[in-house]
């Protein structure tokens, strides 16, 4: 995936911990803001919109907009309000596109 | 059940100061915040910030460290990572990823801060388009300065973010300012005001000098701004100085002011009025922050946009008012301590019109063109809202049931300001006539499992026999 | 005269009747209420439902069945005229039970209806093993269910939008933000007044939900209508997991799980309560354990419009000819009959349905 954002770091490199993102192993800085850490790790799309199915990525970073929504350890959460912990199981939120699904 | 004298919702400057002040007066305080750490947005992560990041963020930011330390008090229970789901007669329901719980509080102080005024414009839903505040969050909490940014809009925060990014070694590509040079000049012509505001003006000019020296280009009076890109934002196009321009970027940072975050106060049953000067709904309250909802108080930017210092002062004022009402502080004592805070708050607030005049919102983003999505959650466009009005919608509630606008996860936080203006403009009535969206629990989403636990918990406690 | 018919009430009931009258060639103005009105049509669960209805009054069971049978044609017509697909699904619906006692009681009621309607009442009792084949996410606490093959659901807000658009497309006028405060009977018809209302019509259909309880008695109706609050929840959009609607939950077309509903006697209070939300959530998770991690996005309260016996009311005013009261709490289920069959009764044509039992004489003491 093409890295979305590039960053200049102003803080010394701290310890990293292992998490999984969509099944893939990732090493993220422990205690860092999860949404930021994922963007810095090159994650460019956090969710698909329900109707048009287009990509979204963090917008407000303050817990307002829900564009950073991810499923973390089974529960959909705003990743901008969460700190990185070892072993987090992170996935795109369970959403689906519009359209009547197959009925009986 | 946890019982408290006071529940403070929001751990920004107002909430932190209020919690401390109330605890000092002897109250048992719960400080509830959905972030893992205190600080709110303005002082986010301030406890952990060290040099060299401290130098990048500046002295004003670091001044929040004292407030954060003050929260460590035996009388304060910090409930981190909890959002308020509902208020009900002396009880608050709180939710976290781990579950939900109820606490009891005799009084509730809402210090829920501000949100950036939504800025719907063409391309604003593309990945890589963010709020200017978002760049600050990334810097404050992760020490990461986003590179190759273009800032778009209006407001002192735009310049501050540009300065902070520059100091961090990632100067933005450009600042696309939607205000005109004349806006600032007109503001300063209120010279009495300007004189009093000299420290602000000086700081503001120093920021501009720092940006100029760093070679950051500012485009004034920009119009017809759009964000372009295939899968993510690739450039900002706009008209400035009579020319069509395009600046490539990796990230576009939008900002045109902040408005009170009133979801909680509205769900708590507080009356809100439209403020023409803040161009937003604000909770009605007296000088102490007392609202018309019993035992509910408001303080900080969530009550009235005044900035961090005003927020801190209004938090202290509300806390003393509450301590007085609960009998912890006598009137004489309250009024004696209040005087200086009132005076300073009045002074700070008296400068506010200068900022409002100097940095007006970007008109085209208040009532965006038809193709622009105003509801980011349900993907409803401005044009769909206008079509709903044409089909008979008379207020935002009508527009909601007709278009799904405001029915998504953010519960209308991001779209309501735009929808209200669009409906009002389409009907050619004042914005208040477009009404307000209903604000009901849950104030933030919560899992059914957490709610269900609450049912069984309550059932066990109250001996409540339900049919399950 | 502004129109032959004034329809007071722009909800699902009023619009359905209006659409039917337009089809019969009549001119119609629909007056939707004010912003503060309770508007049950904005808050309902969207079921097209037969099971359990009419145990005490078989005519109600048949009338509901007639409407359910008309629904496919009605939905197709709405789509044609309005361009809006209301998402009708009539592939059966479930009544889930957590204990044998309530299940046995429901079975008895259904048997009673079956005896009355015969093959027009296709239901079966599902035990856990078969139930979980039909509905894989049902949890172990469910001991059994009634499956009625004629039950189903629609998207209630899409229905409201489609009706409104169809009425306009057929030449009707829908006036929004128009709250009727007073109706003056005149020799030649009715004069309606209110906020944003000044209208004359020859005839009048009162379909104002709980508003009919206020306006009705002034026109000679009993209109003994009472509110009953139902709290409802809706979750985030999720992948398909609930196949058939149940009285506990249904999954809408966009993936949201709608959960309903409480039955509360709290007057006109439309607020949601923590206890109400928590109980609904508990039942939903007990029925469908997969919902434990589903996020609740919104909750709302709506007021059912209930007659004392729960049946619809169809009555021409005994004192003011040309004024009709139409009221029911199952506006969605009955929408097709209200649009396609009821106009014949209002117009007193030979093909009018037999609705005597739904008249207000039943309230006489």
């Amino acid at each position: 995936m093409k890295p979305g954002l590039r960053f200049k770091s102003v803080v010394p490199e701290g310890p990293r911990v292992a998490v999984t993102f969509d099944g893939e192993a990732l090493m993220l800085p422990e205690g860092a803001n999860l949404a930021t850490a994922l963007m810095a790790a090159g994650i460019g799309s956090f969710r698909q919109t329900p109707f048009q199915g287009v990509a979204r990525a963090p917008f407000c970073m303050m817990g307002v907009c829900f564009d950073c929504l991810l499923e973390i350890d089974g529960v959909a959460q705003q990743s901008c309000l969460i700190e990185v912990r070892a072993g987090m199981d992170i996935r795109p939120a369970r959403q689906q596109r519009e359209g009547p699904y197959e009925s009986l | 059940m946890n019982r408290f004298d006071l529940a403070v919702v929001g751990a920004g400057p107002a909430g932190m100061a209020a919690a401390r002040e109330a605890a000092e007066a002897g109250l048992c305080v719960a400080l509830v915040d959905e972030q893992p750490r205190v600080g709110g947005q303005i002082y986010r992560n301030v406890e952990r910030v060290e040099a060299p990041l401290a130098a990048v963020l500046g002295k004003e930011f670091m001044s929040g460290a004292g407030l954060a330390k003050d929260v460590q008090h035996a009388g304060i229970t910090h409930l981190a990572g909890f959002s308020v789901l509902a208020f009900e007669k002396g009880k608050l329901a709180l939710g976290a990823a781990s579950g939900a719980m109820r606490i009891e509080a005799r009084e509730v102080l809402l210090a829920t801060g501000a949100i950036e005024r939504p800025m719907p414009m063409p391309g604003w839903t593309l990945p890589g388009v963010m709020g200017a505040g978002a760049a600050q969050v990334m810097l404050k909490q992760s020490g990461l300065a986003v590179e190759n940014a273009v800032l778009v809009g209006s407001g002192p925060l735009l310049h501050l973010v540009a300065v902070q990014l520059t100091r961090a070694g990632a100067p933005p590509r450009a600042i696309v300012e939607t205000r005109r040079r004349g806006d600032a000049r007109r503001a300063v012509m209120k010279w009495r005001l300007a004189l009093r505001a000299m420290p602000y003006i000086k700081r503001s000019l120093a920021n501009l000098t720092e940006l100029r020296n760093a070679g950051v280009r500012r485009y004034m009076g920009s119009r017809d701004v759009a964000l372009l890109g295939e899968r993510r934002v690739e450039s900002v196009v706009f008209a400035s100085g009579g020319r069509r321009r395009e600046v490539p970027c990796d990230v576009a940072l939008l900002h045109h002011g902040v408005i009170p975050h009133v979801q909680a106060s509205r769900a708590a049953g507080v009356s809100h009025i439209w403020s023409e000067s803040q161009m937003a709904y604000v909770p009605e309250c007296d000088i102490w922050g007392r609202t018309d909802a019993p035992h509910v108080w408001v303080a900080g930017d969530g009550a009235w946009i005044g900035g961090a210092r005003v927020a801190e002062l209004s938090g202290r004022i509300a806390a003393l008012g509450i301590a007085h009402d609960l009998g912890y502080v006598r009137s004489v004592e309250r009024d004696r301590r209040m005087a200086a805070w009132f005076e300073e708050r009045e002074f700070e607030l008296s400068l506010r019109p200068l900022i409002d005049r100097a940095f007006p919102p970007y008109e085209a983003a208040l009532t965006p063109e038809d193709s622009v999505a105003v509801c980011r959650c349900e993907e409803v466009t401005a044009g769909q809202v206008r079509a709903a009005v044409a089909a008979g919608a008379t207020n935002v509630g009508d527009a909601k049931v007709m278009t799904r606008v405001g029915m998504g996860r953010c519960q209308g936080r991001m779209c309501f300001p735009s929808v209200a203006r669009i409906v009002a403009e389409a009907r050619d009535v004042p914005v208040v006539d477009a009404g307000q969206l209903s604000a009901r629990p849950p104030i933030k989403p919560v899992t059914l499992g957490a709610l269900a636990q609450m049912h069984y918990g309550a059932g066990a406690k109250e001996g409540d026999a339900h049919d399950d | 005269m502004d129109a032959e018919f004034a329809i007071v009430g722009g909800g699902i009931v009023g619009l359905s009747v209006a659409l039917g009258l337009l089809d019969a060639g009549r001119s119609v103005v629909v007056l939707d209420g004010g912003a503060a009105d309770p508007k049950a049509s904005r808050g309902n669960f969207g079921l097209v439902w037969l099971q359990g209805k009419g145990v005490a009054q078989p005519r109600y069971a048949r009338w509901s069945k007639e409407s359910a049978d008309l629904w496919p044609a009605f939905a197709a017509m709405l789509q044609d005229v309005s361009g809006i697909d209301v998402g009708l699904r009539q592939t059966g619906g479930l009544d889930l039970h957590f204990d044998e006692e309530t299940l046995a009681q429901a079975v008895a009621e259904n048997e009673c209806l079956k005896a009355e309607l015969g093959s027009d009442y296709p239901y079966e009792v599902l035990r856990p093993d078969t139930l979980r084949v039909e509905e894989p996410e049902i949890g172990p606490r469910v001991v059994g269910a009634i499956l009625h093959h004629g039950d189903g659901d629609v998207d209630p807000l899409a229905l409201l939008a489609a009706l409104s658009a169809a009425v306009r497309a057929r030449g009707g006028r829908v006036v929004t933000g128009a709250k009727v405060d007073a109706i003056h009977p005149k020799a030649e018809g009715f004069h309606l007044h209110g906020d944003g209302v000044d209208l004359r019509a020859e005839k009048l259909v009162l379909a104002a939900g709980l508003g009919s309880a206020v306006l009705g008695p002034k026109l000679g109706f009993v209109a003994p209508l009472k509110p009953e609050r139902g709290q409802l929840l809706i979750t985030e959009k999720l992948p398909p997991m609930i196949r058939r609607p149940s009285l506990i939950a249904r999954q809408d077309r966009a993936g949201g799980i709608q959960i309903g509903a409480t039955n509360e006697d709290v007057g006109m209070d439309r607020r949601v309560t923590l206890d109400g939300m928590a109980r609904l959530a508990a039942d939903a998770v007990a029925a469908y354990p997969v919902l434990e991690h589903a996020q609740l996005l919104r909750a709302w309260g709506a007021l059912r419009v209930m007659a004392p016996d729960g049946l619809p009311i169809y009555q021409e005013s005994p004192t003011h000819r040309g004024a009709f009261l139409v009221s029911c709490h199952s506006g969605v289920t009955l929408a097709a009959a209200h649009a396609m069959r009821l106009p014949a009764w209002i117009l007193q044509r030979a093909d009018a349905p037999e609705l005597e039992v739904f008249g207000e004489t039943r309230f006489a003491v």
Side-chain angles (χ1 to χ4, degrees):
Chain A
M1 192 178 299
K2 175 186 176 262
L5 302 183
R6 285 171 288 164
F7 293 95
K8 189 137 286 176
S9 178
V10 203
V11 290
E13 176 81 0
R16 289 184 173 245
V17 292
V19 303
T20 57
F21 181 84
D22 212 2
E24 307 255 330
L26 270 186
M27 296 297 287
L28 299 181
E30 185 170 24
N33 177 271
L34 178 59
T36 309
L38 288 170
M39 286 189 283
I43 305 297
S45 165
F46 278 52
R47 69 180 190 100
Q48 304 283 315
T49 60
F51 297 104
Q52 289 169 16
V54 296
R56 288 280 173 83
F59 179 77
C60 82
M61 295 292 286
M62 298 183 196
V64 178
C65 77
F66 288 83
D67 271 330
C68 67
L69 193 82
L70 292 169
E71 191 180 302
I72 300 154
D73 297 331
V75 180
Q77 297 174 66
Q78 290 168 302
S79 58
C80 74
L81 294 178
I82 294 199
E83 291 181 358
V84 174
R85 294 184 312 271
M88 280 178 152
D89 177 15
I90 309 160
R91 302 160 190 270
R94 299 176 295 174
Q95 278 190 325
Q96 63 155 36
R97 295 188 184 193
E98 161 71 327
Y101 50 84
E102 201 168 352
S103 44
L104 297 169
Chain B
M1 175 103 47
N2 301 300
R3 288 163 196 265
F4 298 92
D5 293 313
L6 171 64
V8 178
V9 180
M16 292 190 292
R20 173 68 184 208
E21 211 60 57
E24 284 288 312
L27 280 72
C28 177
V29 181
L31 179 59
V32 184
D33 193 281
E34 56 186 354
Q35 291 189 60
R37 284 161 213 287
V38 296
Q41 300 306 336
I42 187 89
Y43 299 133
R44 193 153 164 160
N45 205 39
V46 69
E47 299 168 289
R48 294 198 295 181
V49 168
E50 295 168 358
L53 179 55
V56 168
L57 293 170
K59 256 189 267 175
E60 271 187 79
F61 174 79
M62 292 311 294
S63 74
L67 282 172
K69 210 170 283 157
D70 279 352
V71 168
Q72 288 161 19
H73 185 286
I76 301 174
T77 306
H78 179 206
L79 298 170
F82 280 96
S83 47
V84 178
L85 307 175
F87 302 96
E88 230 170 56
K89 286 179 275 167
K91 294 196 190 82
L92 287 81
L94 309 180
S98 54
M101 67 169 175
R102 283 190 231 215
I103 61 170
E104 276 184 25
R106 297 165 73 191
E107 305 287 325
V108 177
L109 174 63
L110 302 175
T112 49
I115 62 174
E116 292 191 280
R117 185 190 299 283
M119 204 168 164
M121 56 165 68
W124 80 309
T125 53
L126 285 169
V129 180
M130 305 175 90
Q136 277 197 310
V137 168
M138 296 190 283
L139 196 52
K140 289 171 185 173
Q141 208 170 359
S142 293
L144 295 177
V146 66
E147 294 188 87
N148 212 18
V150 171
L151 292 114
V152 180
S154 163
L157 183 78
L158 219 49
H159 298 153
L160 179 62
V161 172
V163 164
Q164 289 172 335
L165 291 175
T166 302
R167 285 183 197 156
R173 290 286 294 258
I175 307 179
V176 176
E177 298 209 31
T178 54
R179 66 179 182 139
R180 288 155 305 209
R181 286 188 197 281
D183 291 328
R185 217 174 298 131
R186 259 194 306 283
V188 178
M189 268 159 64
K190 293 264 175 196
W191 62 271
R192 266 182 228 279
L193 193 58
L195 216 57
R196 273 185 292 169
M198 209 36 93
Y200 285 90
I201 295 172
K202 274 190 183 151
R203 207 175 316 144
S204 174
L205 291 174
N207 279 346
L208 294 180
T209 307
E210 197 170 338
L211 292 175
R212 195 164 42 244
N213 292 343
V216 176
R217 177 110 194 239
R218 292 165 60 220
Y219 296 94
M220 302 301 290
S222 301
R223 287 289 170 271
D224 306 325
V225 187
L227 310 154
L228 300 185
E230 277 296 316
R231 297 184 159 194
R232 46 181 304 113
V233 68
E234 287 161 19
S235 68
V236 180
V237 297
F238 55 98
S240 172
R243 285 179 51 193
R244 191 94 196 121
R245 299 173 191 273
E246 178 163 6
V247 181
C249 63
D250 287 347
V251 61
L253 302 171
L254 313 183
H255 181 82
H256 67 156
V258 294
I259 59 175
H261 188 185
V262 294
Q263 205 81 8
S265 51
R266 293 189 50 232
V270 175
S271 298
H272 288 67
I273 48 169
W274 176 257
S275 160
E276 198 54 48
S277 65
Q278 303 230 321
M279 293 179 70
Y281 278 96
V282 298
E284 269 193 290
C285 65
D286 66 11
I287 52 170
W288 309 99
R290 189 188 285 112
T291 71
D292 60 351
H295 310 292
V296 179
W297 305 63
V298 290
D301 273 358
W304 184 261
I305 300 297
R309 181 65 188 157
V310 169
E312 182 188 331
L313 290 166
S314 67
R316 292 192 196 285
I317 290 168
L320 264 199
I322 291 164
H324 168 263
D325 278 15
L326 292 181
Y328 284 87
V329 174
R330 287 194 308 205
S331 309
V332 184
E333 164 78 354
R334 177 192 67 176
D335 296 345
R336 184 182 62 74
R337 298 189 52 197
M338 231 44 143
W341 293 340
F342 269 135
E343 195 179 323
E344 187 184 348
R345 186 171 72 169
E346 282 313 300
F347 173 75
E348 291 285 334
L349 284 174
S350 73
L351 309 178
R352 198 69 213 174
L354 189 79
I355 299 172
D356 294 338
R357 279 165 167 268
F359 299 100
Y362 175 41
E363 276 292 330
L366 293 176
T367 49
E369 60 190 69
D370 279 353
S371 63
V372 174
V374 288
C375 177
R376 298 176 65 96
C377 301
E378 297 291 315
E379 301 171 87
V380 180
T381 64
Q384 285 172 277
V385 175
R386 292 190 180 104
V389 174
T394 60
N395 56 44
V396 292
D398 294 344
K400 180 176 173 178
V401 297
M402 292 164 80
T403 65
R404 301 189 58 86
V405 75
M407 283 193 181
R409 283 183 198 269
C410 91
Q411 298 160 322
R413 287 168 171 86
M414 294 296 293
C415 68
F416 167 67
S418 318
V419 176
R421 290 193 84 91
I422 291 167
V423 169
E425 189 188 71
R427 288 186 54 215
D428 197 20
V429 296
V431 71
V432 287
D433 287 2
Q436 299 178 54
L437 283 179
S438 48
R440 290 179 300 255
I443 300 167
K444 286 277 270 220
V446 57
T447 63
L448 292 176
L451 267 180
Q453 274 172 26
M454 204 175 264
H455 170 69
Y456 295 123
K461 201 165 230 149
E462 293 153 23
D464 192 350
H466 282 294
D467 54 357
D468 46 19
Chain C
M1 283 297 144
D2 298 299
E4 183 180 347
F5 277 94
I7 314 285
V8 183
I12 289 171
V13 174
L15 289 167
S16 300
V17 174
L19 191 54
L21 290 169
L22 287 163
D23 273 345
R26 308 308 168 117
S27 71
V28 171
V29 176
V30 179
L31 301 164
D32 195 12
D37 289 346
K39 303 201 175 180
S41 293
R42 292 183 174 189
N44 72 68
F45 200 60
L47 296 181
V48 176
W49 210 250
L50 299 174
Q51 62 173 295
K53 277 184 183 162
V55 176
Q57 177 47 267
R59 177 70 189 111
Y60 182 41
R62 292 207 182 82
W63 180 236
S64 298
K65 169 78 168 108
E66 191 173 350
S67 191
D69 288 347
L70 289 168
W71 248 108
F74 182 55
M77 181 271 283
L78 282 175
Q79 167 125 41
D80 261 6
V81 179
S82 72
I84 296 170
D85 172 9
V86 299
L88 175 69
R89 294 177 295 197
Q90 288 177 297
T91 48
L94 295 163
D95 176 19
L96 306 173
H97 287 267
F98 296 118
D99 68 71
E100 295 289 350
E101 202 178 316
T102 63
L103 178 62
Q105 195 187 330
V107 171
E109 286 176 8
N110 279 279
E111 271 308 301
C112 175
L113 285 160
K114 177 115 191 158
E116 200 63 55
L117 278 81
S119 62
D120 270 353
Y121 198 83
Y123 95 99
E124 55 186 305
V125 183
L126 300 183
R127 284 297 168 177
D129 46 344
T130 39
L131 178 56
R132 258 153 236 143
V133 174
E134 295 287 332
E135 199 66 52
E137 298 295 350
I138 293 282
R141 287 188 51 201
V142 176
V143 299
I146 311 283
L147 167 60
H148 190 298
H149 291 280
D151 288 340
D153 61 356
V154 293
D155 176 339
L157 291 180
L159 172 60
L160 189 59
L163 283 168
S164 179
V167 164
R168 288 162 214 265
R170 286 277 160 95
R173 241 175 80 207
V174 181
V175 187
T176 51
K179 185 172 169 60
V180 175
D181 296 320
I183 301 171
H184 301 295
K186 303 277 176 187
E188 73 287 8
F190 299 89
H191 194 166
L192 292 81
H193 291 283
D195 189 15
V197 182
D198 179 15
L199 186 92
R200 287 160 204 280
E202 286 169 44
K203 293 171 191 154
L204 171 126
V205 177
L206 192 53
L210 292 168
S212 296
V214 178
L215 294 169
K218 297 172 188 166
L219 290 169
F221 297 108
V222 186
L225 302 165
K226 288 258 162 30
E228 182 188 272
R229 183 170 71 190
Q231 297 186 45
L232 294 101
L233 314 178
I234 190 146
T235 71
E236 62 185 324
K237 298 172 176 65
L238 294 165
M241 52 179 65
I242 296 180
R243 300 164 77 185
R244 289 186 169 109
S246 76
L247 292 171
I248 290 177
R250 57 180 284 269
Q251 186 161 24
D252 72 26
R253 283 181 290 176
I257 313 274
Q258 195 173 347
I259 295 160
T262 59
N263 300 78
E264 302 163 274
D265 176 10
V266 289
M268 297 297 282
D269 185 351
R270 273 185 292 153
R271 283 176 297 184
V272 294
T273 63
L274 214 44
D275 286 341
M277 291 194 303
R279 190 178 70 73
L280 291 173
D283 279 355
V285 174
Y288 309 92
V290 67
L291 294 180
E292 186 183 356
H293 286 150
Q295 281 199 307
L296 166 65
L297 298 195
R298 289 183 295 122
W300 66 94
L303 300 176
R304 297 182 185 87
V305 182
M306 301 300 289
D309 55 9
L311 299 178
I313 302 173
Y314 305 113
Q315 176 72 53
E316 181 172 16
S317 168
T319 53
H320 300 91
R321 294 294 305 273
F324 300 86
L325 173 63
V326 177
S327 179
C328 70
H329 106 273
S330 293
V332 175
T333 301
L334 296 176
H338 287 167
M340 300 165 86
R341 301 285 284 121
L342 195 65
W345 172 81
I346 291 171
L347 299 170
Q348 292 163 1
R349 292 194 318 229
D351 60 341
E354 174 53 53
L355 298 173
E356 193 69 34
V357 298
F358 302 120
E360 287 200 320
T361 51
R362 72 187 200 260
F363 303 125
V365 273

